[in-house]
Amino acid sequence: MSNTIALQRLLNHVADLLLPQECFVCGAGSGGEAVCAACRAELPLQPQEAACPVCALPSPGGAVCGRCLREPPAFDTTRALFAYAFPVDRMVQALKYHHRLALARFFADRLLELPPPEGADLLLPMPLHAHRLRERGFNQAAEIARPLAAAWGLPLELATVRREREVPAQAGLDRKARIANLRNAFRCARPLTGLHVVVVDDVMTTGASLNELARTLKAGGAVRVENLIVARTP
Ligand SMILES: [Zn+2]
Ligand SMILES: [Zn+2]
């Protein structure tokens, strides 16, 4: 990482912490919030009731969708808060690539407005590969999960699962190829016998990474895997 980029990130981080917040979306004063109340009310929500309980895609009446019936994923349920659309997509990118950590807190606060996961034993942020973690300096999923763990009184598991492989670009691969690409991408460092795990991630696209993570957790003994996602792509 060049010194200039490092300095820019540090400045963004400090600005996030110290300066009176301007709304990330409209730039107006926001009273210390990352997004002002007016913009918050306009953010694109993912349907909660009329969504497939397994993959969180829209589904009439909240029925399990055809794809999840045909090929049930390894995870049991998914809740996604926002649709991955403007301006949520920009917010996620700003958090990930420009160190706008106040947005992690903002997302966590919105997730805390959902009913807490029932019977959960631990929160597990989607692990980043060690290379990626060094490059970025933080795991955005862990930053989002941290306030949830505190509010719900659940342990935050940062070392339970390691990402073993940097996954090559998934774009352009079909679903089967993506799944093959991800095989054994994760390694579970301890038994999870009988545990109900809540996985936290910023974005769910095909769900292939989440599926492979859930497969690993269940192979490690987990009985239930629930995904809690900030934004779902359509
Ligand atoms: Zn605003
Ligand atoms: Zn589904």
Side-chain angles (χ1 to χ4, degrees):
M1 192 193 319
S2 80
N3 285 339
T4 322
I5 296 172
L7 182 62
Q8 186 57 50
R9 286 185 176 173
L10 182 66
L11 290 175
N12 280 344
H13 192 169
V14 170
D16 258 10
L17 292 174
L18 296 182
L19 295 179
Q21 290 281 349
E22 287 176 356
C23 170
F24 176 83
V25 182
C26 71
S30 60
E33 296 286 334
V35 177
C36 75
C39 290
R40 198 188 312 170
E42 298 291 314
L43 295 176
L45 292 171
Q46 190 75 358
Q48 295 299 314
E49 303 303 324
C52 169
V54 181
C55 71
L57 285 178
S59 167
V64 175
C65 74
R67 204 184 93 174
C68 289
L69 283 174
R70 275 194 311 277
E71 296 178 74
F75 47 79
D76 297 278
T77 64
T78 302
R79 290 187 293 167
L81 187 57
F82 295 114
Y84 191 67
F86 183 83
V88 171
D89 52 356
R90 307 293 166 82
M91 293 164 69
V92 168
Q93 289 158 20
L95 165 60
K96 248 162 125 148
Y97 305 118
H98 302 289
H99 265 221
R100 300 304 302 262
L101 287 168
L103 291 167
R105 181 70 224 199
F106 175 81
F107 288 141
D109 286 341
R110 303 287 80 71
L111 288 170
L112 284 171
E113 291 167 358
L114 297 177
E118 273 177 44
D121 294 300
L122 52 95
L123 282 187
L124 186 120
M126 171 61 84
L128 270 189
H129 191 277
H131 288 165
R132 195 70 64 81
L133 189 59
R134 268 200 300 277
E135 191 179 277
R136 193 172 294 169
F138 67 102
N139 174 355
Q140 72 281 359
E143 297 309 314
I144 294 164
R146 208 179 294 282
L148 306 180
W152 291 333
L154 291 171
L156 181 67
E157 303 279 332
L158 295 172
T160 302
V161 177
R162 279 213 317 269
R163 195 153 193 150
E164 292 281 290
R165 291 195 289 116
E166 194 86 72
V167 174
Q170 294 275 87
L173 298 179
D174 68 17
R175 191 157 172 275
K176 285 224 163 64
R178 280 171 195 256
I179 291 168
N181 206 16
L182 280 162
R183 276 275 154 186
N184 305 316
F186 301 99
R187 181 186 296 245
C188 202
R190 69 168 175 97
L192 296 169
T193 314
L195 296 180
H196 170 174
V197 181
V198 178
V199 172
V200 178
D201 204 0
D202 54 347
V203 180
M204 178 175 185
T205 306
T206 62
S209 300
L210 288 160
N211 188 43
E212 180 59 16
L213 177 57
R215 199 185 67 78
T216 307
L217 295 171
K218 290 210 166 159
V223 288
R224 185 171 172 81
V225 177
E226 180 176 341
N227 299 323
L228 195 56
I229 308 294
V230 171
R232 182 74 166 97
T233 60

